[in-house]
Amino acid sequence: MTAVASPAIACEGVTVAFGDFVALRNVSLAFAPGRLAALIGPNGAGKTTLINVLSGQIRPTAGRVLLGGRDVTRLAPHARARTGLGRSFQIVTIFPEMTVMENLRLGAQARAFGLQPFWRAVDGWRALRERAEACAETVGLAAKLHSPAGSLSHGEQRALELGLTLTTDPAVLLLDEPLAGVGHSEIDRSVALIERVRQGRTVLLIEHNMDVVMSISDEVVVMTGGELLARGTPAEMRADARVRAGYLGDRQPAGQPMGRTAYA
Ligand SMILES: Nc1ncnc2c1ncn2[C@@H]1O[C@H](COP(=O)(O)OP(=O)(O)OP(=O)(O)O)[C@@H](O)[C@H]1O
């Protein structure tokens, strides 16, 4: 009998209600290791809510979340981070007056040790510094290690944000609009960076830029009104009549962002 690998991350029957409003209704999804999937859909479709459920920021009203086959539904975000899950947020969450190194070191510390004092760990400080340097190198900020984060361009700040998600070397990365606010001149560089960090990882990202979604994704998941509408390869989604009618058709000129997000 052939062994079937567990999905890297999955949710089963997830429903999220905010009072009377149902933001997610019975959503089941599984992502195979090493794939990059994009979550698309109009504003309010439930994309961020789903990412929040997967990362532990929101406890679902019903359903469960599995990480590498293990039920993590009741684990807090930092506990999930320690089991190999990284996430970024729609807004940049770095400390502008701290240097790139300080941001990364603090990020590594918070994720690796939580509220525990890091100096309890053997060689904790050196390990944090080395991890921070490696992350800076990966996201192309090695030359800016000692620059205040606030002095970086927006694209570089996004790169730093991505670096922060890598401090625990996560197997699964959840990225909420990693290109939000990145100007045209920096998009190619940011996309190349995502391509680099996805190596050896499973990535689920929310993105409104359809050109980027169609070029980097192994698969596309389309949501609307808190439910799954369709799922498939970029080519399949382009050809899907329901998806075309809703998002990719005449209403949506090629290359234009979908929904609210504007690109400078
Ligand atoms: N904490 C909350 N309390 C009440 N309603 C919420 C809460 N969080 C989200 N919602 C609602 O749930 C719905 C889904 O929101 P969500 O942010 O998941 O959508 P989205 O697909 O990520 O949209 P966008 O592309 O605009 O970010 C929206 O109608 C939103 O107003």
Side-chain angles (χ1 to χ4, degrees), residues 36-40 51 173-178 194 203-207 212-213 216-217:
L36 187 150
L39 205 49
I40 68 170
I51 295 275
L173 257 186
L174 308 174
L175 306 177
D176 195 348
E177 297 194 32
I194 294 170
V203 177
L204 176 59
L205 58 82
I206 298 174
E207 186 45 58
V212 170
V213 164
I216 66 172
S217 309

Side-chain angles (χ1 to χ4, degrees), residues 18 21 23 42-49 90 177 208 260:
F18 297 113
F21 178 74
N43 297 137
K47 305 178 298 292
T48 297
T49 305
Q90 233 172 71
E177 297 194 32
H208 287 283
R260 169 198 71 208

